[in-house]
Amino acid sequence: MSILSGIRVLDFTHYISGPYGSQILSDHGAEVIKIERIEGEVGRMAGPFHEDTSLYFAAQNRNKRGLSINLKSEEGREIIHRLVETADLLITNYGAGVPERLGIDYQTISEINPKISMVHITGFGLTGPYREYGAYDGTIQAMSGLAGLTGHIDGPPTNVGFYIADHLSGLQAAMGAMLALLHKERTGRGKYVDVSMLDGMISLLGYHFSEVMLKGIEPRRIGNRDPLAFCNTYPTKDGYIFIAPAAQHMWEKLCRIIGKNEWLNSDSPFNSKEGRMENRDVLEKMVSEWTIQYTKEEVFQLLQNAGIACGPVNTLMDIINDPQIKDRNMVREMNMGEQSDAVFVTGVPIKINDTNAQKFSAPPEIGEHSVEILAELGYSMEEIERYLTLGVVSTSEK
């Protein structure tokens, strides 16, 4: 049995952060009901596509059931409020104020069900002067300092290559959900969790604020170098590899492997961490002259087997073919139904012992489970048919 079996989640989410957060819960057995507009969640229209499948949507909406509903109708709100009575958690990444307009704000749902918790993801949080402002991943990368610290010294600020702020806030939303569920187990009452994308990225800055406030040091872009150790990316015959001989014993092993035993002499400026940091340009050039003679896989295996931390700069195809990724089942094939080809998605990163490996079910079609969910809530087939006719709900059932 999965750890979150028996937990019901109402998923009012779109794009990445909210769907990714609720997918973490569904991956571990929670029953997640994706509640969408009649025309479907906006993420369904986002590319890239394969045939008629949005790969963007498929990547973060597996293992969910789908209910398509007109939340602006009185009947639609009544259905949602009946669902709230049965749920443990509601998660949304609508903008600040939108849940209130839709009747799914925490005050309203907690009056219906005091045990329910709510997780609300926004760009800037539910308080502060920016609470009404909109944000996308790139906005948050810029405002959090990530873009300003990423890139080469003489280059412009650079965003990282995937939607890190969206996914991080989804992860923190799932963590907040678990804390709220634990509180409910202990007290019988739910909690309201406020997740800010900007807060989440700021939380990764670690010691940097002390550098600025106490020492007056403003961090700057340094490319692939590590600001605290002699680490960098080096060219190989077929790409690049990141080598991190941060500890002294690793440095000594590297010197011997590349035939530079003289760097280990007591009078060598390269035999101390301080000396290596001061002479980076010279040292990196000489290390590059060694790495360029080999492929990145040859360097990786040689150095790792000697106990030196390093890793190839992988393309996505490299990752797909990597034996470690295969062993950890981190690229998964997901069947999209009889009429569609399978797609490939990321695996489950949080692995828990003694739990069943769950098969992935495809993201729901718009309203795929509307009829069965309403029936579970006690609506008669006559009532369901009337709601379908009135456009209160829709279904993909033929």
Side-chain angles (χ1 to χ4, degrees):
M1 188 170 103
S2 299
I3 285 180
L4 294 181
S5 294
I7 299 296
R8 172 171 279 187
V9 180
L10 306 184
D11 179 357
F12 291 84
T13 67
H14 57 287
Y15 290 125
I16 294 176
S17 62
Y20 180 66
S22 60
Q23 180 175 272
I24 293 171
L25 304 178
S26 70
D27 279 346
H28 292 281
E31 178 202 3
V32 176
I33 300 175
K34 186 167 187 66
I35 300 166
E36 304 182 71
R37 307 174 301 172
I38 293 295
E39 61 270 32
E41 186 243 289
V42 292
R44 288 184 181 274
M45 280 63 83
F49 285 84
H50 177 66
E51 297 181 342
D52 294 328
T53 299
S54 167
L55 302 180
Y56 180 102
F57 183 83
Q60 44 255 338
N61 285 290
R62 64 186 179 229
N63 300 330
K64 302 177 184 181
R65 294 201 291 165
L67 169 63
S68 177
I69 192 165
N70 179 2
L71 287 175
K72 296 180 180 179
S73 68
E74 183 178 342
E75 297 91 343
R77 291 195 179 198
E78 191 277 329
I79 292 169
I80 293 302
H81 289 172
R82 193 180 293 193
L83 259 179
V84 165
E85 294 176 358
T86 72
D88 301 283
L89 179 70
L90 186 152
I91 181 169
T92 183
N93 60 325
Y94 284 137
V98 175
E100 285 78 5
R101 295 198 295 274
L102 295 176
I104 57 169
D105 56 284
Y106 182 62
Q107 181 175 343
T108 298
I109 66 173
S110 62
E111 288 174 358
I112 297 169
N113 177 4
K115 293 183 178 181
I116 197 169
S117 294
M118 178 172 175
V119 179
H120 194 173
I121 309 167
T122 58
F124 300 103
L126 301 177
T127 61
Y130 302 160
R131 63 186 178 276
E132 302 288 342
Y133 292 0
Y136 285 108
D137 187 280
T139 312
I140 300 303
Q141 289 197 43
M143 295 182 68
S144 68
L146 177 60
L149 290 172
T150 304
H152 290 282
I153 295 172
D154 55 353
T158 305
N159 283 355
V160 301
F162 51 86
Y163 299 120
I164 186 171
D166 280 328
H167 285 90
L168 177 64
S169 59
L171 177 61
Q172 292 175 330
M175 186 181 301
M178 296 308 301
L179 293 171
L181 291 171
L182 178 60
H183 180 267
K184 185 199 74 171
E185 288 297 311
R186 290 177 171 175
T187 68
R189 297 191 66 85
K191 297 291 279 186
Y192 189 20
V193 182
D194 172 7
V195 175
S196 157
M197 293 173 65
L198 182 60
D199 288 355
M201 292 299 292
I202 295 293
S203 73
L204 304 183
L205 285 169
Y207 63 88
H208 286 302
F209 290 122
S210 288
E211 275 196 311
V212 173
M213 300 298 289
L214 302 179
K215 296 188 175 184
I217 299 173
E218 185 72 48
R220 62 193 182 98
R221 293 186 291 282
I222 58 171
N224 295 316
R225 286 175 167 175
D226 186 313
L228 301 179
F230 182 73
C231 309
N232 204 347
T233 299
Y234 298 91
T236 68
K237 282 183 176 180
D238 59 348
Y240 292 87
I241 186 165
F242 186 81
I243 302 176
Q248 182 65 22
H249 72 276
M250 292 184 184
W251 171 250
E252 292 173 0
K253 289 178 180 177
L254 179 64
C255 293
R256 295 187 181 100
I257 288 171
I258 68 176
K260 298 292 185 181
N261 290 341
E262 65 272 18
W263 292 354
L264 301 177
N265 296 335
S266 57
D267 59 350
S268 170
F270 306 149
N271 197 33
S272 68
K273 177 182 176 180
E274 295 76 15
R276 292 192 288 276
M277 298 296 275
E278 291 173 4
N279 294 278
R280 271 186 156 179
D281 290 343
V282 173
L283 271 179
E284 288 169 352
K285 182 176 182 296
M286 289 189 282
V287 173
S288 295
E289 290 171 354
W290 177 78
T291 59
I292 197 65
Q293 302 174 64
Y294 305 93
T295 67
K296 58 187 181 182
E297 179 65 17
E298 289 170 339
V299 177
F300 173 57
Q301 293 297 339
L302 179 60
L303 298 189
Q304 281 286 359
N305 287 327
I308 301 168
C310 65
V313 178
N314 284 331
T315 65
L316 292 187
M317 188 57 71
D318 290 335
I319 293 170
I320 290 168
N321 293 319
D322 190 293
Q324 179 69 18
I325 304 305
K326 289 181 178 179
D327 182 84
R328 301 288 290 176
N329 211 15
M330 281 308 298
V331 178
R332 295 275 298 270
E333 187 174 12
M334 184 168 68
N335 193 320
M336 296 297 290
E338 294 180 2
Q339 305 303 317
S340 301
D341 292 342
V343 301
F344 293 87
V345 295
T346 57
V348 179
I350 305 168
K351 295 173 171 62
I352 302 171
N353 70 316
D354 299 328
T355 58
N356 295 328
Q358 188 176 25
K359 293 183 178 179
F360 288 175
S361 62
E365 295 182 28
I366 300 173
E368 180 177 344
H369 305 96
S370 294
V371 172
E372 70 179 53
I373 291 171
L374 265 61
E376 290 169 4
L377 291 174
Y379 289 96
S380 68
M381 283 309 300
E382 291 77 11
E383 290 175 302
I384 295 171
E385 289 291 346
R386 185 169 69 86
Y387 287 156
L388 289 169
T389 301
L390 293 173
V392 174
V393 295
S394 66
T395 179
S396 64
E397 294 180 8
K398 303 296 187 290

